[in-house]
Amino acid sequence: MRLTINGEMRDMTSAGTVTELLSALELDARKIAIELNREIVPRSAYDATGLNDGDKIEIVHFIGGGNAPHKDDDYFEVAGQRFRSRLLVGTGKYKDFEETKLAIEASGAEIVTVAVRRVNVTDRNKPMLVDYVDPKKYTYLPNTAGCYTADDAVRTLRLAREAGGWKLVKLEVLGDQKTLYPDMEATLEATKALVKDGFDVMVYCADDPIAARKLEDLGACAIMPLAAPIGSGLGLQNPVTIRIIIENAKVPVLVDAGVGTASDAAVAMELGCDGVLMNTAIAEAKDPIRMARAMKLAIEAGRLAYQAGRMPKKLYADPSSPLAGLI
């Protein structure tokens, strides 16, 4: 019997059911999710689901979840979960998983975004993220990086839920490969479908107050406007629109994409953002571990500055020392 598994044609002689297929591939059913001819197969149905010649099968993986205890009363809350760290980090672009692990530890992040990718059924000994970034210590936030249609994004997150079991996800539907700007029409469509399907959706979007309001009206649990194009490092380009989004939102607002260095993160937090998500700014720094630590401190400093309330800007000088009593 010939099956297409993760895009590769394979001859499987002893795989009459999904369970038998996993046994032949030496895969742990508890750590994966399976799609058979574009239909998700529940774990409870693996034994009873037969396979036929020509079937197309996708096998994806990841496991994560769990929250660290919170001792500080300054936290942000999303979908009923509280997080003390306002820095969210991605897990891509590092030279290896060891560097990923060390950077995340230095950042102090509690939430890490992870892309859903095919299981390597040819080399089952290849290291996996969960071997380095403990899903019992960090909250894994599955995202739809690389999806260009609403259908692909929804499909990806349904597989992620089957693999990991949680509802909190990050949605992004990209418009084109050059700018990686969000396709807002498709993003709204996918948000509506995912909310209806019971997901708690954090949404990457344009820095557009109207689009942000529409996403919240559809049930998004967090709005994540870009600071600048993904991976650009340009920093916050439109602070006015970000501030308008914050003032009108009833859900958390987190800047997502475009941060380049610590001062960019601090500016976002001083505007009143609930948090910042970043990946490239840390992973592509000359020293990712030090940059992760710098970003942690910048997020904390920006948050404190926002809480303290900055002094008003003035056109002319205002002496710090009193003029009365001068010699």
Side-chain angles (χ1 to χ4, degrees):
M1 179 166 55
R2 302 207 78 187
L3 303 174
T4 301
I5 304 175
N6 287 355
E8 177 185 347
M9 293 286 291
R10 297 172 70 97
D11 291 312
M12 305 298 297
T13 57
S14 59
T17 67
V18 169
T19 297
E20 291 171 354
L21 173 66
L22 294 180
S23 177
L25 295 174
E26 299 179 17
L27 294 175
D28 187 340
R30 297 170 300 176
K31 298 182 178 180
I32 54 89
I34 290 184
E35 184 184 72
L36 173 61
N37 299 326
R38 297 182 70 89
E39 293 290 334
I40 291 175
V41 181
R43 286 195 184 91
S44 59
Y46 285 3
D47 289 339
T49 302
L51 300 177
N52 299 301
D53 188 58
D55 279 347
K56 294 182 179 180
I57 299 164
E58 294 287 345
I59 307 175
V60 304
H61 63 88
F62 81 38
I63 291 184
N67 296 322
H70 307 293
K71 299 178 181 178
D72 195 328
D73 61 0
D74 181 37
Y75 56 82
F76 82 98
E77 184 171 328
V78 58
Q81 299 184 59
R82 293 180 176 182
F83 300 97
R84 186 158 44 98
S85 173
R86 295 173 180 271
L87 174 59
L88 291 68
V89 296
T91 52
K93 298 187 176 182
Y94 293 95
K95 68 180 182 182
D96 53 37
F97 283 142
E98 181 63 26
E99 184 177 75
T100 306
K101 171 189 173 182
L102 294 175
I104 292 173
E105 288 176 349
S107 76
E110 294 171 282
I111 301 176
V112 296
T113 63
V114 290
V116 182
R117 292 295 183 264
R118 289 169 167 171
V119 171
N120 189 332
V121 295
T122 303
D123 182 7
R124 291 177 296 278
N125 295 318
K126 191 173 181 179
M128 298 169 70
L129 180 67
V130 294
D131 299 325
Y132 291 82
V133 181
D134 186 357
K136 295 180 180 178
K137 181 178 180 182
Y138 300 99
T139 293
Y140 274 33
L141 184 68
N143 69 24
T144 56
C147 290
Y148 288 85
T149 69
D151 180 65
D152 283 347
V154 171
R155 178 186 173 202
T156 296
L157 291 177
R158 283 174 176 163
L159 273 168
R161 180 169 61 184
E162 179 67 21
W166 4 212
K167 304 192 310 177
L168 184 63
V169 295
K170 182 201 163 190
L171 171 67
E172 59 182 70
V173 185
L174 304 177
D176 66 78
Q177 294 185 355
K178 185 175 182 180
T179 67
L180 300 182
Y181 250 63
D183 179 334
M184 289 311 302
E185 183 178 356
T187 298
L188 289 163
E189 178 186 345
T191 301
K192 184 177 181 179
L194 289 166
V195 170
K196 183 178 180 181
D197 204 15
F199 285 91
D200 294 318
V201 193
M202 303 173 69
V203 189
Y204 165 69
C205 62
D207 52 347
D208 176 355
I210 306 305
R213 186 187 66 205
K214 289 180 178 180
L215 288 168
E216 187 172 346
D217 289 343
L218 286 173
C221 68
I223 307 299
M224 306 181 74
L226 54 80
I230 292 173
S232 67
L234 292 172
L236 208 64
Q237 296 298 294
N238 296 307
V240 173
T241 55
I242 297 294
R243 183 63 201 170
I244 293 172
I245 291 172
I246 293 168
E247 289 179 353
N248 288 285
K250 296 181 177 64
V251 297
V253 176
L254 300 91
V255 156
D256 178 14
V259 168
T261 190
S263 57
D264 299 332
V267 167
M269 295 305 298
E270 288 171 7
L271 284 174
C273 287
D274 293 281
V276 178
L277 190 154
M278 64 183 74
N279 186 181
T280 307
I282 297 175
E284 292 193 353
K286 292 181 180 178
D287 186 335
I289 314 306
R290 286 192 178 190
M291 184 59 81
R293 193 175 303 122
M295 291 299 188
K296 176 180 184 293
L297 296 172
I299 293 288
E300 293 173 354
R303 176 65 180 172
L304 284 173
Y306 172 73
Q307 291 175 316
R310 65 158 293 145
M311 62 166 283
K313 294 182 179 180
K314 302 172 184 177
L315 185 59
Y316 297 104
D318 184 8
S320 299
S321 300
L323 297 179
L326 282 176
I327 298 174

